[in-house]
Amino acid sequence: MLIVEPRVVKLTTRTEIDVRRNLPHARLRRIGAWVFLDHFGPTAQVEGMKVASHPHTGLQTVTWPFAGRMDHRDSIGSSQILEPGEVNLMTAGLGIAHSEVSLPNSESLHAAQLWIALPSEVRNMQPAFEHHGDLPSKQIGQTAMTVFLGEHLGTKSPATVYSPLVGAELRVPAGARLELPIDADWEHGILVVSGEVTIDRQPVAANELAYFEAGVSAVSIESQTQALLLLVGGKKFEEELFLWWNFVARSHAEVVEMREKWNAQDARFGKVSDNLGGWIPAPELPGVKLKAR
Ligand code: MN
C-alpha cells in the first residue's frame, strides 16, 4: 500500500479555496484510466467556485459533490444544476468547453472532481454530457456504498464509461470494521475525504489516498469516527498520455495544436452561454517538449 499525499493548488485565481490534488502524483501517475483527482472544501465560501469557460479534449470529467450546489454549462448546450448524490459526466472527446459556478443557497461547498482518460478508439468521439440523479447503492455491513461510475460488487452506475473502472462513495459509521472486496485484476485507490480511519491497519489521514496495485482482493478498513471515502479503481491503462493543462493528448504536437486552437477560439470547442462571461486562455507551454506520462 502506497500513501499518496495531496498537493495544494488554488481552485481559481479569484478565491482562496484550496484544492487538494492526489493525482497525478510524482509517485503515481494514474489508477486505471483515472488520471486526475481533485478534492476541495468543505468551505463556507459557497460561491467560491467560479470557473469561466475552458476547454477539454480526450477525457471525461466527473463531478461528485458532497455538499453545495453547482451550475454546469457547456458548448453542446447543456445546462445542469448538480447536487450531492448526483453525478455530472462530461465526455470531451475531440473537444468541448464548459464553465462551472457554485450556487449560494447552501451552507457548505465540498466536492471531488476527477478525470478519466479516454482510450484511443474513442478519444476523438463527438462530445457528450450526462447527468445522473438516481444512482445505485449497496450496503456492505454497516457501510453504505454509492457507485457513481462503473461497477463494483455487481452494483453498476448507469453513466457511460469506455474502460473497466469504478468510482464509488463509501459512508462508514464510527467504530466500523469493513472487509471491502476489490477486483484483484484492477488497481485501486481509496481517498479519505473525511474522518479517522486505518486501512490495512495503517492510519490514513483525511485528504490522503491509499493506493493498491493489482493483485489485492480485499482491503480492511476500521473507522475511529464516521468517515467518508472515495473508491476509484480500474484495469491498468497502458497507453502513453501527454497531460497538459486541460488536455489529454498522445503527443507534444497535439497539445500545441489544441492550445493554439483554443486560444484562437476555434469552432472545434464551441461556445458556452453562461452568466459568467469570458473564457480562460491556455497558459504558455514550457520551453521544453512535454514528456509522455
Ligand atoms: Mn473543466
Side-chain angles (χ1 to χ4, degrees):
M1 181 173 91
L2 170 72
I3 306 273
V4 177
E5 289 172 359
R7 284 182 288 143
V8 175
V9 296
K10 290 288 173 206
L11 178 61
T12 68
T13 50
R14 307 181 211 189
T15 68
E16 288 304 306
I17 297 179
D18 285 341
V19 175
R20 279 91 62 194
R21 181 162 299 160
N22 294 85
L23 291 180
H25 187 275
R27 293 163 73 196
L28 184 67
R29 295 175 303 172
R30 62 183 89 134
I31 299 173
W34 297 99
V35 292
F36 190 91
L37 203 178
D38 266 9
H39 167 212
F40 63 88
T43 170
Q45 276 186 276
V46 294
E47 293 177 89
M49 183 193 210
K50 283 187 172 58
V51 186
S53 176
H54 61 279
H56 289 288
T57 61
L59 57 83
Q60 292 179 294
T61 66
V62 180
T63 309
W64 181 249
F66 306 108
R69 300 169 80 232
M70 293 169 213
D71 184 2
H72 162 95
R73 307 285 176 102
D74 65 40
S75 56
I76 55 170
S78 318
S79 171
Q80 180 66 56
I81 305 284
L82 179 66
E83 305 205 9
E86 307 174 345
V87 69
N88 273 2
L89 174 67
M90 186 179 77
T91 304
L94 56 77
I96 196 169
H98 75 140
S99 68
E100 297 161 289
V101 178
S102 55
L103 299 172
N105 44 350
S106 60
E107 286 178 3
S108 173
L109 176 64
H110 188 194
Q113 282 204 319
L114 308 100
W115 294 357
I116 301 166
L118 287 170
S120 279
E121 314 85 78
V122 294
R123 73 186 185 96
N124 288 318
M125 67 185 281
Q126 290 299 318
F129 176 79
E130 291 177 22
H131 169 82
H132 296 279
D134 189 14
L135 292 163
S137 289
K138 184 190 182 93
Q139 201 70 21
I140 310 167
Q142 301 162 276
T143 295
M145 173 180 76
T146 302
V147 178
F148 52 85
L149 228 66
E151 184 170 6
H152 193 59
L153 304 177
T155 301
K156 192 173 180 193
S157 163
T160 308
V161 292
Y162 297 93
S163 59
L165 56 82
V166 61
E169 178 190 276
L170 301 168
R171 289 191 178 263
V172 190
R177 282 166 171 248
L178 169 69
E179 280 291 311
L180 179 70
I182 55 175
D183 187 332
D185 293 334
W186 292 3
E187 51 184 345
H188 292 86
I190 297 174
L191 174 72
V192 179
V193 175
S194 62
E196 276 177 48
V197 297
T198 60
I199 299 180
D200 286 350
R201 298 216 171 92
Q202 206 173 318
V204 182
N207 304 314
E208 290 181 343
L209 174 88
Y211 168 71
F212 302 88
E213 287 176 24
V216 179
S217 59
V219 175
S220 118
I221 298 166
E222 291 186 27
S223 58
Q224 285 74 55
T225 64
Q226 194 181 70
L228 180 54
L229 313 176
L230 270 198
L231 171 71
V232 294
K235 187 168 180 289
K236 202 166 178 60
F237 192 89
E238 304 281 6
E239 292 185 49
E240 286 204 330
L241 300 174
F242 286 73
L243 262 82
W244 183 79
W245 197 47
N246 293 310
F247 307 128
V248 175
R250 294 299 187 279
S251 69
H252 177 88
E254 198 183 312
V255 169
V256 170
E257 185 195 346
M258 290 304 122
R259 179 187 176 277
E260 282 172 3
K261 283 197 160 141
W262 171 251
N263 282 355
Q265 289 288 282
D266 188 279
R268 166 182 203 133
F269 295 103
K271 288 264 183 281
V272 179
S273 170
D274 62 21
N275 300 324
L276 261 180
W279 53 281
I280 303 173
E284 289 298 322
L285 275 159
V288 293
K289 274 205 163 187
L290 302 169
K291 288 198 183 110
R293 291 193 283 184

